[in-house]
Amino acid sequence: MGFFLETLFGGLMAGMLYALIALGFVLIYKASGVFNFAQGAMVLFAALAMARFSGWYPLWFHFESRLLANLLGFVTAAALMVAVAWLVERLCLSRLVNQDGITLLMATLGIAYFLDGLGQTLFGNDIYKIDVGMPKEPLLVLQGTFDGGVLISQEDLVAALVAATLVALLALFFQKTATGRALRAVADDHQAAQSIGIPLDRIWVIVWSVAGIVALVAGIIWGSKLGVQFSLSLVALKALPVVILGGLTSIPGAILGGLIIGVGEKLSEIYLGPMLGGGIEIWFAYVLALVFLLVRPQGLFGEKIIDRV
């Protein structure tokens, strides 16, 4: 039972990180109605900026405080992601208002390749370290309840708590603020939103900025665990099954989808892997997403679209 709980907790914590990345996809889709293929590149670009600036500032200004370096690096990386959001709106999205969804989709692909190349140009292509002081030692709990106790990664626990806090704040932002309601209106119909005075350009800058900050937090967490390298953008691919499972327009769906996939892939790898030859954790999420596409393509919480003619 103790080993099962270890696996379950590990899956839940991994699921929260998947949900955090999936939020970036949901945010962009809710504001523009298009799937943002640049989200993985945004995670990588933001993590590279954080890693490099937090390393450069002590050299430039001759101080040794890691906390100050990380704080300055985070603020600079966040400002850079806001600048990217403004440039994306000004140079790309503002010229594609009311265009077909496939046009915006191809635009996000172009943005992804641009950010990948810009990241290499500005920050290099080595493996960089992000050290934000997350505890690395495992934590042993419930020793009196289960023989040998339950081993929990403190780093994963802290990361899951940070992700859960950010998810909750974003859910409140969308549901309780005027800007959040405006974002939902823009997602439903660009022309109708403009006709009632909602500034489309400002809304898109806001949502891409928020998605950039989410990408930065996700990049810091994954960069702390794995190091900042260009394979980090592939981590975002795990968020694709999450949004398919939970629904492209639902923040609660992103949370539940992330938890289901995180737990499912861990349990299946441990208990089904020996019978099926292992490697289940790699493909489990995509097979589950395929099943949902066949059975319920709008996801658990997605809105079913009905076209009347």
Side-chain angles (χ1 to χ4, degrees), residues 11 27 42 48 64 156 176 237:
L27 290 170
M42 290 170 66
L48 279 171
E64 297 181 359
D156 287 346
K176 302 298 183 181
L237 292 178

Side-chain angles (χ1 to χ4, degrees), residues 268-283:
S268 62
E269 180 66 31
I270 295 298
Y271 294 104
L272 297 179
M275 294 183 291
L276 300 178
I280 295 179
E281 191 172 356
I282 298 174
W283 52 260

Side-chain angles (χ1 to χ4, degrees), residues 79-93:
L80 187 60
M81 296 310 294
V82 172
V84 167
W86 184 83
L87 288 172
V88 165
E89 191 282 327
R90 183 60 54 189
L91 301 178
C92 183
L93 297 182

Side-chain angles (χ1 to χ4, degrees), residues 3-217:
F3 180 70
F4 171 79
L5 289 177
E6 285 183 12
T7 307
L8 179 64
F9 290 152
L12 289 173
M13 289 182 283
M16 282 307 305
L17 297 182
Y18 294 154
L20 181 60
I21 299 178
L23 273 178
F25 291 101
V26 173
L27 290 170
I28 301 298
Y29 191 86
K30 286 174 75 69
S32 62
V34 66
F35 194 83
N36 177 28
F37 273 105
Q39 190 63 30
M42 290 170 66
V43 171
L44 173 61
F45 186 81
L48 279 171
M50 171 68 185
R52 298 299 278 154
F53 280 114
S54 62
W56 285 336
Y57 276 123
L59 298 177
W60 291 344
F61 299 105
H62 307 289
F63 62 86
E64 297 181 359
S65 172
R66 186 182 67 185
L67 177 60
L68 179 59
N70 286 332
L71 180 60
L72 291 173
F74 180 85
V75 171
T76 305
L80 187 60
M81 296 310 294
V82 172
V84 167
W86 184 83
L87 288 172
V88 165
E89 191 282 327
R90 183 60 54 189
L91 301 178
C92 183
L93 297 182
S94 63
R95 305 173 188 276
L96 299 175
V97 176
N98 299 322
Q99 296 295 316
D100 291 337
I102 188 63
T103 304
L104 288 169
L105 179 67
M106 295 304 296
T108 66
L109 281 172
I111 293 168
Y113 284 112
F114 173 76
L115 288 178
D116 277 340
L118 184 62
Q120 292 185 64
T121 301
L122 296 178
F123 306 118
N125 54 10
D126 291 333
I127 298 176
Y128 302 107
K129 180 182 179 182
I130 291 180
D131 184 5
V132 291
M134 294 176 65
K136 302 291 184 181
E137 294 296 323
L139 183 65
L140 193 62
V141 299
L142 301 177
Q143 298 181 61
T145 306
F146 302 103
D147 185 25
V150 176
L151 200 64
I152 296 178
S153 168
Q154 291 190 74
E155 184 178 31
D156 287 346
L157 181 60
V158 171
L161 290 175
V162 171
T165 301
L166 185 57
V167 167
L169 290 175
L170 287 172
L172 289 174
F173 170 74
F174 269 99
Q175 297 298 326
K176 302 298 183 181
T177 67
T179 302
R181 290 190 289 272
L183 290 174
R184 299 202 304 272
V186 170
D188 289 337
D189 192 316
H190 294 173
Q191 289 180 324
Q194 285 181 303
S195 68
I196 61 173
I198 295 176
L200 197 59
D201 54 350
R202 183 172 66 87
I203 291 298
W204 273 350
V205 169
I206 290 174
V207 76
W208 276 79
S209 297
V210 174
I213 301 301
V214 170
L216 174 58
V217 175

